[in-house]
Amino acid sequence: MSIAASNDALLDAVFMREALCLADEAAACGEVPVGAVAVHSGRVVGRGRNVREGDRDPMGHAEVLALRGAAQVLGAWRLTGVTLYVTLEPCAMCAGALVNARVDRVVYGCADPKAGAAGSVLDVLGEPRLSHHPAVVGGLLGDECGERLKAFFRERRGRREGRGVRETR
């Protein structure tokens, strides 16, 4: 591995850890623990964490919020040169937003076998008929990202079962 490649891998891990911190903030607020950071020229230009429950917003996904922040900072909706780091594989809505924003690269933590749109269930990011195709890297700190989700849902199921209500998923 070259020095440049090892530096890139180290930077990827640093930015994914920042996304993990945002996921922890989401969990502390009762949201599904997903965090995202948008990076341009080595600096964070957008941050997001899930806020769907608290904001009662179906578009309150971490990726969407990070993209909105990046667009404001960069003063453009075309986010060329941006890498988005997100703890969970993007869903179809978020993958569509990433394509439409012209994001260069998407790095995600763990796969989403139920709703992932970067190759698990769908492959919106690689759809050949679309006009843009970000580079995709999956599995970065995947175990850490996945464990946060598992712990969140384990705890949530425990609370529901304690009240005599069972989760239907």
Side-chain angles (χ1 to χ4, degrees):
M1 179 183 294
S2 71
I3 292 173
S6 65
N7 284 342
D8 289 346
L10 288 173
L11 282 175
D12 283 350
V14 165
F15 292 127
M16 185 60 80
R17 290 204 183 282
E18 186 160 345
L20 279 163
C21 288
L22 290 163
D24 291 340
E25 287 178 21
C29 294
E31 302 279 353
V32 174
V34 178
V37 296
V39 175
H40 183 268
S41 297
R43 71 179 178 110
V44 175
V45 293
R47 290 176 175 79
R49 64 172 178 80
N50 275 6
V51 295
R52 287 191 325 169
E53 300 296 331
D55 287 1
R56 295 180 180 93
D57 180 2
M59 294 182 61
H61 288 213
E63 299 96 321
V64 170
L65 299 175
L67 291 175
R68 285 180 180 158
Q72 285 184 331
V73 168
L74 297 174
W77 65 266
R78 286 180 190 86
L79 301 179
T80 54
V82 168
T83 295
L84 185 92
Y85 297 86
V86 60
T87 58
L88 179 65
E89 179 183 3
C91 69
M93 176 184 72
C94 294
L98 291 160
V99 168
N100 283 309
R102 314 294 198 269
V103 167
D104 282 0
R105 188 167 168 252
V106 177
V107 180
Y108 69 85
C110 60
D112 184 346
K114 293 184 178 181
S120 290
V121 176
L122 302 170
D123 191 7
V124 173
L125 299 178
E127 172 55 51
R129 293 170 290 185
L130 297 178
S131 62
H132 179 72
H133 306 98
V136 178
V137 176
L140 181 65
L141 302 180
D143 290 342
E144 289 181 53
C145 295
E147 186 48 46
R148 280 170 171 77
L149 288 159
K150 288 176 191 170
F152 175 82
F153 287 111
R154 196 169 35 242
E155 192 270 331
R156 193 175 202 183
R157 277 191 299 277
R159 272 192 278 138
R160 287 185 178 165
E161 289 170 2
R163 291 193 318 234
V165 177
R166 303 199 99 187
E167 189 171 8
T168 58
R169 281 198 254 175

